[in-house]
Amino acid sequence: MNFEILAPAGSMEALVAGVRCGANAVYLGGKSLNARRNAGNFNDENLKEAADYCHARGVKVYLTLNTLCRDDELADALSLAEYALSVGVDGFIIQDVGVAAAIKEALPQAKLHASTQMSIISPAGVAAVKEMGFSRAVLPREMTAQEIAEIRKSTDLELEIFVHGALCMSVSGQCYLSAMLGGRSGNRGLCAQPCRLSFSADNSGSFDLSLKDLSLIRDLKEIGELGVISLKIEGRMKRPEYVAAAVTAIKKAIDGELFEKDEQRLKSVFSRSGFTQGYFENKMGASMFGTRSKEDVVAASGVLKELSHLYDNETPLVRIDMDFVCRKNQPCRLSARALGREVCIEGDVPETAINKPISEESVCERLSKLGGTQFYAGDVNAQVDEGLIVSAAGINAMRREAAERLSRREEIEVIRNPIELPLPRENTARDLYFTARFVDASQIPDRHIFKRIFIPIRSSNEDFVDNRAGVEIPRGLFGAEEKIRLRLLQLKKIGVTKALCGNLGSYKLASDLGFEAFGDFGLNVFNSISASKFNSPILSFELQLSEANRINSPDAGVIVYGRLPLMLARNCPIKSNIGCEQCGKNGTLTDRKGIEFPVKCSPYPCVEVLNSVPLYMADRMNEVKTAFAHFYFTDESRAQVERILALYQNGAPADFKYTRGLYYRGVK
């Protein structure tokens, strides 16, 4: 099995641990604009050191630029990417569509990897990022083997999947729980992991949003048959011993040398009640849930010292081939080849031997002594005229110089095209118009104020026709793309022309079928460049209102009312605890403070966890300067919808519990 083992590097020590244990590539972040801002991470000097260390050992380096960026951060993102290219970074892991577009235009030699936070969960999603210039897609951890196979058949893009590490409850990129509850955004690299606290479906204090860690080490043969090339280990916040254990176990599994003790050691260094393969094997349910117990913590302390010795010493990772020539009255010459390069070293002129002359065998033996370096001897040849002698120190010096020169980084010329970043829009008032989505057509008033309305794709044909509604395509398209495509074709035949799309795959699918596609909040539009890539996008509700107002787009909007979705989850936390029958599609999760969060299901693969109270802006609508305002109706009756619209028409304060969301406090 020819895989790339991709190790996390939250620090230089973790990077060294991963490389010495056999990783083929590492991924790491700069000091900002990466999804693990609380890891040690790498400043410019550290990044150069890391790249030099890795490249001298034939290991690739991928930089994470995988957070959403505001307009005022785009220049910094480009500067970091340009510097990273200059020190040899091999690829960039990116979430933000705007960041990807800017880098592709300004730095055409950059290789882009679509972060798992782009939620690429369908063949159309992979096709979309390929059109954007990405060369690799990092698939979500929630995918089954069959779904990965469907994507593989549809594309020639490189595919990367997570094979070990923590599992988020939410689909990556679609979690707003930490942001809404504490202002620390997972999409901005500062997730506080509130999901690991108690959120209970039966009010018992259970942990129904906490999943076990993922481990697919026993499934590598099948993963190889699926056409996946890169095996990613989660864990930039983890200690070096964890990285060493995970890389070692995966390497042994690839080589067919994995033993039970290796798996036990891996479980001991970090797990949450053990491991799960549930998503990959399509076996979801209660068995996938787990927490970090006292026993788990105690187990780790017993293996850390043992694991630290796995990376004590330099590992001979790189083959070096050498040819040595020693001729009478000529300087000795050593030609050495490694890492795709060749160097030639000139040594001393040999002397006539008085006693024992050097032999070709003795020279080869000395050249092969590469201990303490990253090299091991490949083909080593020597041609030596008879009766000559060269000092051992001289031969050793030539060998050391060859190894040192082959380890040096070659200078890289970075092509930098000029690019004009968008200026902020003037924060002036517009003729605001209104749009809405309803979870059911029965909520729609006979008379309403909306220019566009959308209802779920599962709604009846009559509901679409009677209400002249557009179609809302679900964000969780796992394995459902063909079903969605056929339904869209039916809707097109009855005259539906508009589609609200919260996923790159659904946006491309709808556009290709001839619908007028509109961007929903799930696309995480956070800056003016990303706003320009979608039609009339609903901006991320993680933006402050003042930031959203200044997005330079002719027709962008913000959500001004509704229970905001905090999570998009594939493994229903209600079903896994109390079951669907007891839930009756009215499940809630109760946190440790007694606050209830509704959980809404649908016929499609995912459920949504909603905020406990709705966003409300009726009495502050004069501060909304975007082109339109969007209403996100969920569990309201028609009467409640009519009452809410009356409040907004009158600019009245709410007489119920509500939130202003993040529009004034923002996220870190």
Side-chain angles (χ1 to χ4, degrees), residues 432-440 443-445 447-456 470 472 500 519-521 536-539 541 556-565 608 610 614-622 624 626-652 654 656 659-660 663:
L432 194 69
Y433 70 90
F434 301 94
T435 64
R437 65 82 75 170
F438 297 89
V439 77
D440 192 278
Q443 298 171 294
I444 304 173
R447 296 179 180 178
H448 57 72
I449 59 174
F450 303 116
K451 180 178 178 180
R452 294 188 294 271
I453 62 171
F454 298 92
I455 56 177
E472 180 192 51
L500 185 61
D520 204 355
F521 69 87
S536 302
I538 296 169
L539 303 176
F541 52 74
V558 292
I559 297 176
V560 296
Y561 173 81
R563 288 184 185 265
L564 298 176
E608 287 185 324
L610 304 180
L615 173 71
Y616 188 80
M617 293 289 291
D619 51 338
R620 302 191 71 164
M621 288 298 291
N622 63 316
V624 177
T626 54
F628 67 93
H630 187 68
F631 289 70
Y632 192 85
F633 293 112
T634 53
D635 54 4
E636 297 87 353
S637 66
R638 179 185 293 196
Q640 289 172 322
V641 169
E642 290 173 339
R643 182 170 180 272
I644 288 162
L645 294 182
L647 290 172
Y648 273 77
Q649 287 174 316
N650 295 323
F656 49 82
T659 178
R660 303 290 191 192
Y663 287 155

Side-chain angles (χ1 to χ4, degrees), residues 487-531:
R487 178 60 177 145
L488 288 174
L489 289 173
Q490 292 174 349
L491 293 175
K492 187 177 180 182
K493 286 181 179 179
I494 64 170
V496 178
T497 61
K498 296 177 172 60
L500 185 61
C501 310
N503 177 274
L504 288 172
S506 64
Y507 194 90
K508 177 168 176 54
L509 181 63
S511 299
D512 288 351
L513 290 175
F515 285 82
E516 184 181 6
F518 294 86
D520 204 355
F521 69 87
L523 293 169
N524 291 320
V525 174
F526 215 75
N527 55 63
S528 298
I529 298 179
S530 56

Side-chain angles (χ1 to χ4, degrees), residues 63-141:
L63 182 71
T64 58
L65 273 171
N66 56 343
T67 61
L68 302 179
C69 289
R70 300 188 307 263
D71 279 343
D72 62 352
E73 295 170 324
L74 290 171
D76 289 341
L78 281 177
S79 295
L80 176 55
E82 183 176 7
Y83 175 77
L85 280 176
S86 75
V87 300
V89 163
D90 299 281
F92 298 90
I93 303 170
I94 296 177
Q95 174 188 10
D96 192 307
V97 169
V99 172
I103 290 177
K104 201 64 185 174
E105 181 180 349
L107 303 164
Q109 69 206 90
K111 291 185 178 179
L112 307 184
H113 297 183
S115 169
T116 187
Q117 297 204 194
M118 292 188 88
S119 309
I120 307 302
I121 55 183
S122 68
V126 175
V129 294
K130 183 177 180 180
E131 288 179 1
M132 294 176 191
F134 286 85
S135 61
R136 177 182 294 190
V138 187
L139 300 182
R141 285 162 276 197

